[in-house]
Amino acid sequence: MRKYLAATLVAALAGGGIAVAGPASAASTVYEAEQATVFHGTVDADHNGYTGTGFVNSTNETGAYVEFAVHATTPGRAGLILRYANGTTADRPGAVGVDGAVAATPAFTRTANWDTWAATTVTVTLAAGTNLVRVTSTTAGGLPNLDSLTVSDGTAGDTDWSDALVDSTMRRFTPTSIGGWSYPVALLLMGQYQVALRTTDPARRAALIAYIRAWADRFVDSSGHISNSFTSLDSMMPGQVMIAMYRETGLAKYRLAAKQIHDRLAPGGGYPATSDGGFWHATSSSRAHQLWADGTFMADPFMAQYGHYVGDSAQSYDIAANQLVVYAGHLQQPNGMLKHAYDESRAASWADPATGLAPEYWCRAVGWFGVASVQVLDLIPPDHPRRARLISILQNLVRGMAAYQDPASGRWFQVVDKGGRSDNWTETSCSAMFTYTVDAAVKRGYVPASYQSTVDAGRTGELDRISLHDDGLTYLTTISIGTNVGDYAFYAGRTQATNDLHGLGAFLFFAEESFH
């Protein structure tokens, strides 16, 4: 059963402990702590930001508790969202029990101060009728200040999985520990940025942006310089984060950081290309002369975003659109799918000596191209000379995606066209991106509404891969780890990871398009 999360912790930022609670779902009931049974504690109102008439300040001891009488009309799983403040320098862990049985042991991590409220979520099983939900201190430090308990009804349709995934990832990682300058991290952060853009709670939006900005500031100095030689398209994708932060702050350093990447790809920047102008995947000898479908997402949306939000629009739009056309000209096949890569030199071990093509359709590479196509079409002007060609490419791609969708799961296989093989498997990140692509194409009128059934099945299949566990965190499963170009056995044998950033970021793109 998919578990419900209405709002969870926006985790502490590196060194700052900033956290805010997300908005409660309409399908939920709020119980104020000051109206609960309190054992060894007081009801206070000497800090800002609480709801109701006050909050519970427990004594600093093991065994202090707050007990809520929670009513459930039917038995089943429910999300318990505890709103709290912890202005100390250490966690204040507790045990959450239902009718005497401990269900979870949340850490109640520190917040910036006693006026800053956070939320942590646990899932429990409630019986029909009245349930006694007790939150008990398990250390001598006592509980944090408890403001309220929000109880969801457990309805999967009300789950905001974007919020759940973002909050869980921010609890797992700080902006320092989440990773360095890389496209998987940037993919996740750009998904988080989409969540922030549609968030109506100003405090929550600010915290989501602050997390992204804290990561960006690790790499750009005050003059707008990034210490990176940008010798691969993968290294350029994080430039999208710089553009996002420029949009948010207007600070020149983010604009200049984005310009550094833009200028590397613009005429005169020296980045190598094939004879027909396609950017090499990387400048190293092992990647020279090669076009990987992955690269379209790494470079093309960045260029279109640069044109739209920074400047130099005509040149940037042209580069983004032309790259997609050149790549499709080599990689897209009559069935609509794209081979993973093309080597103009035919020197790579995987390259067909006649065509230069890689042997397989790797699903995430196809997904990267689909997302890139949609995003570039969203930004270039309606009268752009390449627009009609891009729409045609996208239409063929959607046709192929629909044809190869697994009817049993609604997802797509790691090697797209070989779903009948026993060692092939449906992969989560590409299924998110395929669903995103078809969904966007239907909504924008690029393909007929008859493809909605593909979208609906894809949504169901993707949501089957995410769940909320008793630790209050989301788990997204069956994600291929990072992958080079290879043969069938190579792709089929890739590690199937849980919570890999490739999948988390792709899921956010999918969920924001599909449900918001």
Side-chain angles (χ1 to χ4, degrees), residues 221-240:
D221 64 23
S222 59
S223 65
H225 179 72
I226 302 170
S227 295
N228 192 307
S229 56
F230 299 109
T231 58
S232 72
L233 297 185
D234 288 351
S235 69
M236 298 179 189
M237 187 267 154
Q240 293 186 35

Side-chain angles (χ1 to χ4, degrees), residues 7 38 44-45 66 70 125 131 141 196 324 352 393 412 415 469 489 496:
V38 179
D44 295 340
V66 180
V70 173
T125 299
N131 301 259
L324 285 169
D352 183 284
I393 291 169
W412 283 264
V415 180
H469 289 204
Q496 300 176 37

Side-chain angles (χ1 to χ4, degrees), residues 357-371:
L357 291 172
E360 302 293 351
Y361 305 108
W362 177 47
C363 71
R364 191 155 69 219
V366 179
W368 290 128
F369 187 93
V371 174

